[in-house]
Amino acid sequence: MKFNDLLLGLLVLLGGIAIYVSALGFTDIPGQDYGAGTMPRAVAVFASLLGLFMIVKALLAGLRIPGLELAPWLRSRRSVLSVVVALALVVFYIVAAPSIGFVPASLVVMAVLMLTLKTKPLTAIAVSVLACVVIQQAFGRLLLVPLPRSEFLGFLW
Amino acid sequence: MSILAEAFALVFQPYVLMVILSAAAFGMFVGAIPGLTATMATALLVPVTFFMDPVPAIAAIVTATAMAIFAGDIPGTLLRMPGTPASAAYVEDAYKMTRSGRAEEALGASLVFSAIGGIFGTIVLVTAAPMLAEVALKFSSFEYFWLVVLGLSCAVFVSPGSVSRGMISLIIGLFAATIGIDNPAGQPRYTFGNVELLAGVQFIPAMIGLFAVSEVLRFVASGAETPAVEKGGRTGVFAKQWTNLKRYPVQAMRGSVTGTAIGALPGAGADIAAWISYAISKKFSKQPQKFGTGHVEGLVEAGASNNGAVSGAWIPALVFGIPGDSITAIVIGVLYIKGLNPGPTIFINQPQLIYAVFIVFFLANVIMLPMGWIAIKAARTILSIPARILMPIILMFCIVGSFAINNSPFGITLMVVFGVIGFLMEENDIPIAPAILGLVLGPMLEQNFVTSMIKADGSFLAFFERPIAAGLGLFTIAIWCIPLVMLLLRRGRGRSGGKPSAGASDRIGG
């Protein structure tokens, strides 16, 4: 997903304005003219000026329509699916790990992503199991990170 | 002397040495895989160092980055795919050497001159840092304000691609830094009622997202496979290096000096150092026509340069708390987490720690030679691990690493959000380094800016009243003017019948 310079400039300008407006509500240090709003306002002014500059430059270069160019991967259904799967797997981990535990959740994340990337099923499962145990032992046992446990796999901890 | 003895005692412990060795192996591995950068090696290492004492933690990062920068040359040489951006400058020469059966000579040159550059940079670090710290003790908020602005400006102006895009990246980082309650008025900003955001954007998950998750997503989207490795012949790794050193002593020295100096500049790191050194080498070479055809000269100079930069970048990081590149930006985050506030006072309060860091630097650059030899010999095996198996494992490491910082799933959410941001940024040629510097330096910029404004009663002139502040301020403004001057120069040349102004007018550097 590639924005052209005009659209990018517009987005930066709008972002700058949004930050500026939102920063108007921040309070100052009592008795001073500066406070929580100073920095966001400075960033906002910087962003707005940059946005304007980019818009003018794009217009001078002959661009008229804010546009979006689709990257090659967006035209391949496979690639789009892979990206969606990868992101969905992270969300799955966040949601599922606390209830089903680290080991099953991470196994699913790695094995499914490997299969999506066309790894042979046997290799994918074998490597995932190995990696999962190594990570669990390294972080859970050695570094004492409280990875979510599963009842039936308590012996690993 | 007792401080030095203490420092040695801190480093020469079996545990620390083991950490150094493992970090070296890890750095070699990550650096050798195309697409996985030295910064990513650091990002993945941080959650582990989180559980260590300061010395082993820093030792792990120093060793892993030095190794990764060298190891980035391996896929560059064998596959024509630079493992890290710092290796991109001389990839043509290295690959052509491989095609003419001189792969081991090329990699040997990278290795030996990387070590030379690294050791030179370390010597400069050891001598310059304490001296600069003396000066830095006298700095007030005005000097720090300009230093931060200088660092951020350099990060924008030297980033590959256009300056406008570097600025967008910086704005993203600075904005992310304003989130949370840690600001002059102590008011929650942009937290949307989320309790975890009150503490601000956690640095480590954000960085893992920007550098590692974005890379995983890019691989998943492209579905690219690693190409077959060139054979490259067996000429011996170290066999020709003595000849090379005798033939190109000036180049090795010049590369080390340039690299260290560029590294020491806040905001500019190994990538830029390598490009500039390669260009310098070509300009002053007796055989410039041979560059790009498998000539070892540029490799010598730029190879020394990028590792010199790795050491040089630590100078501003330790002395001022201002990172020299994205790796030291991560290091500064780690130091803060460990309760060590980088800055001149660290030289007074914990000198043994600083000396321990120096010793680690020497060790890392010395250990590089045998480890590098092993890596070169094992390169074909490392490179044959398919990315489709590696990337899911890396994604899992990212998840666990982001979780481990606060033991909270919110870290994973932040990681994936920043992963998508990083992915979109790269799709639009927006560099990531300025965003990371903005995120790290944002709070420091805000604090020094607001303090200075209150002290100066709103007058901008006060920012130029102290001599060092004035010098830094003028230098910073001069850097801002570079694109303008370049534009005018190009226009002038265009009018006088030279080359017409081609390409984006605000494009500089690599």
Side-chain angles (χ1 to χ4, degrees):
Chain A
M1 214 172 358
K2 213 173 152 117
F3 305 109
N4 74 7
D5 280 14
L6 191 56
L7 183 58
L8 209 53
L10 270 173
L11 287 176
V12 174
L13 177 64
L14 288 177
I17 294 172
I19 299 174
Y20 195 90
V21 172
S22 66
L24 289 176
F26 293 144
T27 49
D28 287 336
I29 301 172
Q32 298 290 346
D33 295 333
Y34 311 97
T38 310
M39 183 72 180
R41 279 202 293 270
V43 174
V45 170
F46 178 34
S48 309
L49 289 177
L50 175 65
L52 278 178
F53 170 78
M54 289 183 74
I55 292 170
V56 171
K57 212 172 137 228
L59 288 175
L60 286 179
L63 270 178
R64 288 293 173 271
I65 307 155
L68 217 124
E69 190 190 318
L70 291 188
W73 69 270
L74 273 170
R75 292 197 201 99
S76 143
R77 192 179 292 172
R78 239 206 104 65
S79 298
V80 176
L81 183 76
S82 306
V83 172
V84 171
V85 167
L87 291 174
L89 282 169
V90 180
V91 176
F92 163 79
Y93 180 90
I94 297 173
V95 176
S99 50
I100 65 169
F102 169 78
V103 175
S106 67
L107 257 180
V108 170
V109 171
M110 287 188 283
V112 171
L113 190 53
M114 280 183 205
L115 292 173
T116 314
L117 296 170
K118 284 193 190 159
T119 311
K120 285 187 195 120
L122 202 62
T123 320
I125 289 164
V127 174
S128 304
V129 169
L130 188 71
C132 168
V133 172
V134 169
I135 294 175
Q136 190 276 327
Q137 290 292 307
F139 280 86
R141 254 214 171 136
L142 227 59
L143 301 174
L144 302 177
V145 177
L147 298 172
R149 283 184 195 221
S150 340
E151 285 300 321
F152 61 103
L153 288 166
F155 66 92
L156 281 169
W157 266 260
Chain B
M1 199 57 208
S2 69
I3 293 172
L4 203 61
E6 253 181 81
F8 269 101
L10 279 173
V11 175
F12 286 93
Q13 288 178 14
Y15 173 67
V16 178
L17 294 177
M18 196 198 73
V19 166
I20 291 181
L21 218 58
S22 330
F26 173 75
M28 280 292 171
F29 181 76
V30 176
I33 292 171
L36 309 193
T37 62
T39 318
M40 182 164 167
T42 319
L44 292 176
L45 202 60
V46 166
V48 180
T49 60
F50 189 64
F51 298 92
M52 298 176 185
D53 286 335
V55 171
I58 297 170
I61 295 176
V62 169
T63 321
T65 46
M67 296 297 158
I69 294 280
F70 154 68
D73 295 348
I74 297 177
T77 307
L78 297 177
L79 300 171
R80 201 164 167 246
M81 290 171 75
T84 66
S87 305
Y90 43 86
V91 68
E92 260 331 299
D93 276 310
Y95 185 66
K96 292 221 165 108
M97 283 177 79
T98 302
R99 302 209 63 175
S100 54
R102 291 155 65 206
E104 290 199 341
E105 187 198 336
L107 286 170
S110 300
L111 177 59
V112 170
F113 291 96
S114 288
I116 291 177
I119 288 173
F120 179 88
T122 308
I123 294 171
V124 175
L125 170 69
V126 172
T127 41
M131 286 196 296
L132 272 174
E134 295 269 327
V135 182
L137 276 176
K138 301 192 184 82
F139 279 17
S140 69
S141 61
F142 295 109
E143 284 83 5
Y144 274 110
F145 168 77
W146 280 121
L147 264 178
V148 174
V149 177
L150 175 65
L152 296 176
S153 309
C154 286
V156 166
F157 286 107
V158 301
S159 58
S162 80
V163 173
S164 330
R165 283 178 156 69
M167 284 181 181
I168 295 179
S169 173
L170 179 61
I171 289 169
I172 293 173
L174 286 176
F175 175 70
T178 64
I179 296 172
I181 199 168
D182 188 16
N183 59 65
Q187 185 186 17
R189 294 188 300 207
Y190 308 111
T191 54
F192 306 105
N194 183 317
V195 182
E196 305 219 44
L197 270 182
L198 278 179
V201 170
Q202 292 162 13
F203 171 68
I204 291 169
M207 175 199 69
I208 292 178
L210 283 174
F211 283 107
V213 175
S214 65
E215 194 58 51
V216 172
L217 289 178
R218 189 138 36 109
F219 170 79
V220 169
S222 72
E225 270 306 318
T226 323
V229 183
E230 278 282 331
K231 282 223 173 60
R234 296 203 176 273
T235 52
V237 175
F238 296 118
K240 287 233 175 120
Q241 303 319 327
W242 183 240
T243 327
N244 281 336
L245 186 61
K246 276 194 295 187
R247 196 181 297 161
Y248 305 117
V250 179
Q251 283 80 349
M253 201 56 213
R254 202 168 47 199
S256 303
V257 174
T258 319
T260 310
I262 292 173
L265 210 65
D271 323 359
I272 312 299
W275 281 106
I276 292 183
S277 280
Y278 187 79
I280 292 178
S281 189
K282 190 172 176 182
K283 184 144 185 90
F284 290 101
S285 171
K286 287 187 186 117
Q287 304 160 301
Q289 76 284 357
K290 280 198 174 174
F291 276 68
T293 61
H295 189 49
V296 80
E297 191 177 344
L299 228 83
V300 166
E301 185 151 352
S305 175
N306 59 18
N307 273 73
V310 171
S311 312
W314 282 68
I315 298 174
L318 288 177
V319 177
F320 307 115
I322 292 172
D325 58 5
S326 44
I327 294 171
T328 40
I330 300 173
V331 170
I332 284 177
V334 173
L335 290 176
Y336 275 119
I337 292 172
K338 297 251 164 251
L340 302 167
N341 297 351
T345 47
I346 203 176
F347 286 79
I348 298 169
N349 299 337
Q350 284 147 315
Q352 70 283 14
L353 199 82
I354 295 293
Y355 281 101
V357 172
F358 293 160
I359 297 169
V360 166
F361 261 102
F362 279 112
L363 270 183
N365 282 295
V366 171
I367 211 180
M368 188 191 280
L369 294 171
M371 290 297 289
W373 183 84
I374 296 172
I376 293 171
K377 292 292 176 187
R380 286 181 181 81
T381 321
I382 300 179
L383 288 174
S384 64
I385 301 174
R388 60 172 194 273
I389 288 182
L390 213 54
M391 289 297 179
I393 299 177
I394 288 177
L395 183 65
M396 205 56 235
F397 264 104
C398 296
I399 292 177
V400 176
S402 304
F403 173 81
I405 299 307
N406 278 2
N407 297 331
S408 137
F410 185 68
I412 310 175
T413 312
L414 264 184
M415 169 203 88
V416 77
V417 169
F418 275 89
V420 173
I421 293 177
F423 176 66
L424 286 177
M425 282 168 75
E426 299 227 322
E427 285 245 299
N428 285 285
D429 300 322
I430 298 174
I432 285 177
I436 278 290
L437 259 72
L439 186 59
V440 174
L441 290 177
M444 196 170 169
L445 178 67
E446 173 163 29
Q447 192 202 337
N448 286 303
F449 179 58
V450 172
T451 314
S452 302
M453 286 305 268
I454 292 174
K455 275 199 262 183
D457 217 5
S459 153
F460 279 106
L461 276 179
F463 284 79
F464 296 93
E465 272 167 8
R466 295 164 58 98
I468 298 181
L472 287 168
L474 291 176
F475 185 52
T476 310
I477 293 171
I479 289 184
W480 294 346
C481 295
I482 291 176
L484 205 68
V485 174
M486 302 250 308
L487 186 73
L488 290 176
L489 273 179
R490 224 174 273 155
R491 285 261 163 87
R493 219 180 292 159
R495 222 168 272 149
S496 64
K499 262 206 270 180
S501 58
S505 56
D506 60 349
R507 201 167 271 269
I508 59 163

